[in-house]
Amino acid sequence: MRLSRFFLPILRETPKEADIVSHRLLLRAGMIRQEAAGIYAFLPLGLRVLNKVCRIIREEQDRAGAIEMLMPTIQSAELWRESGRYDDYGKEMLRIKDRHEREMLYGPTNEEMITEIFRAYVRSYKDLPLNLYHLQWKFRDEVRPRFGLMRGREFLMKDAYSFDLDYEGARHAYNKMFVAYLRTFTRLGLRSIPMVADTGPIGGKLSHEFIILAQTGESEVFCHRDYLDFPVPDATVDFDDIGGVQTIVDKWTSLYAATSEKHDEAAFSAIPEADRVSARGIEVGHIFYFGTKYSAPMKAVVAGPDGSEKPVHMGSYGIGPSRLVAALIEASHDEAGIIWPEPVAPFQVAILNLKQGDAATDAAAGELYRDLTARGVEVLYHDLDERPGSKFAAADLIGIPWQILVGPKGLKEGKVELKRRAGGERELLSPAAALDKLAPRG
């Protein structure tokens, strides 16, 4: 993509309303625009990152056996009255009426609707286990929306819902999502730690938050230092191996790790002081087992092997992709701007033509752009007539992993400069060598 044909409204000044790093950089880098309190438009650069986050989430949900669908954003109030949550949820729920005066709501979550869909079609234990997920925009009317995408009112959510005949099956479903989440966040370039957490308004008896450590984290968390080095399961993990998956979960829950709501100071103090980690953390995922909390009142039942009907055991598993975009920045940035992990970067390479209009630099930059694109590399070619300093600042701000600097001085020696955004390492290479380094021939 040539920058001259792209829409990238970079801001030179930091917006006054932005309190945290990710909010400031998302606005300055032209990735989002605030349209109302806690409601943001994703601009092209931001959408590219969001789509890559969603792709990785989908791949790991599919790998773990979940099946994608899509539910509507507007829900009937009657469903929520069945579960007993309509009057209890609070002002965060946006309640509306349609033209026929029917009570509706803009869904803050989907436990009721997925339970209604399940009970309409599934009657026998032979159709279990089942895990359905979707990625959908949701709305919660936060009293004080702040911190940009970290705590907005409208947000994109991946939520999965598992259905099983009994606790044993439900626990395996929970464990599969536990392992899938470990893999997901690692692929996104994050180190997540599963911590015992409060179930909140969704309810249930078993819950873990997946936390990344960041100085700008929203809450204090506590864990054993060994979690920072635990190996994450690779792509060969067998999600049908009940014992194998349980072993992974047992290892990842064998040491102390808790959010502030579940913190036990005595248990934490029993850890050797050198192994204690007390830090700020950001929640990037949350999983719940809540048994029959929704299936019992909503009569989502199946016939068991003996013919008797019983409510199914359910679990809920959430990841906020739009929130993750901000969390990635909180975890990976410097004074100059964003440092995207390569799997989610909006482009892999930025080509900076340092003397736009010069025949040699135009030709070299244009050829690199064509060759990299032909090899399947996502390239942003900064072909605007701007000073080199402005181009350097823009490239660092938007955080593309690799920069190729094409200038008259280097080209006289047959070289371009290759810069890695993370770490700042630089090397002079021929254009052909830079091409082969960034996109080796298969």
Side-chain angles (χ1 to χ4, degrees), residues 270-287:
I271 302 171
E273 187 173 357
D275 293 329
R276 292 182 217 152
V277 174
S278 174
R280 308 298 295 180
I282 299 172
E283 176 196 340
V284 291
H286 202 163
I287 62 176

Side-chain angles (χ1 to χ4, degrees), residues 162-175 289 291 313-315 317:
S162 61
F163 302 86
D164 289 271
L165 181 64
D166 51 28
Y167 171 77
E168 288 72 23
R171 183 58 201 254
H172 181 50
Y174 185 94
N175 289 347
Y289 160 71
H313 288 244
M314 294 174 59
Y317 316 95

Side-chain angles (χ1 to χ4, degrees), residues 357-401:
D358 178 84
T361 59
D362 285 358
E367 185 174 0
L368 275 168
Y369 174 60
R370 289 188 295 272
D371 289 346
L372 284 166
T373 301
R375 293 194 190 183
V377 178
E378 295 174 310
V379 185
L380 181 64
Y381 174 19
H382 197 323
D383 60 345
L384 300 178
D385 187 12
E386 295 180 359
R387 290 172 296 138
S390 176
K391 295 190 176 187
F392 298 151
D396 283 348
L397 174 63
I398 63 178
I400 294 172

Side-chain angles (χ1 to χ4, degrees), residues 195-241:
M195 299 191 178
V196 176
D198 187 55
T199 57
I202 288 179
K205 302 174 182 176
L206 178 63
S207 175
H208 284 88
E209 285 184 12
F210 288 75
I211 301 291
I212 62 169
L213 305 183
Q215 292 182 348
T216 51
E218 58 200 336
S219 60
E220 192 170 12
V221 295
F222 308 85
C223 70
H224 195 291
R225 188 171 300 279
D226 285 358
Y227 277 119
L228 302 178
D229 298 312
F230 272 7
V232 173
D234 62 24
T236 64
V237 61
D238 182 358
F239 284 98
D240 293 324
D241 180 357

Side-chain angles (χ1 to χ4, degrees), residues 9 15 37 61 63 90 118 149 216 226 258 275 296 339 369:
Q61 290 293 287
R63 188 194 305 275
F118 175 88
L149 300 181
T216 51
D226 285 358
D275 293 329
I339 304 174
Y369 174 60

Side-chain angles (χ1 to χ4, degrees), residues 2 351-370 381-386 388 391 404-413 415-417 431:
R2 291 176 177 269
I351 296 175
L352 311 185
N353 185 342
L354 302 186
K355 193 171 184 181
Q356 191 70 33
D358 178 84
T361 59
D362 285 358
E367 185 174 0
L368 275 168
Y369 174 60
R370 289 188 295 272
Y381 174 19
H382 197 323
D383 60 345
L384 300 178
D385 187 12
E386 295 180 359
K391 295 190 176 187
I404 301 177
L405 283 52
V406 182
K409 184 177 178 181
L411 285 180
K412 287 181 180 178
E413 302 174 5
K415 305 287 186 180
V416 295
E417 187 171 16

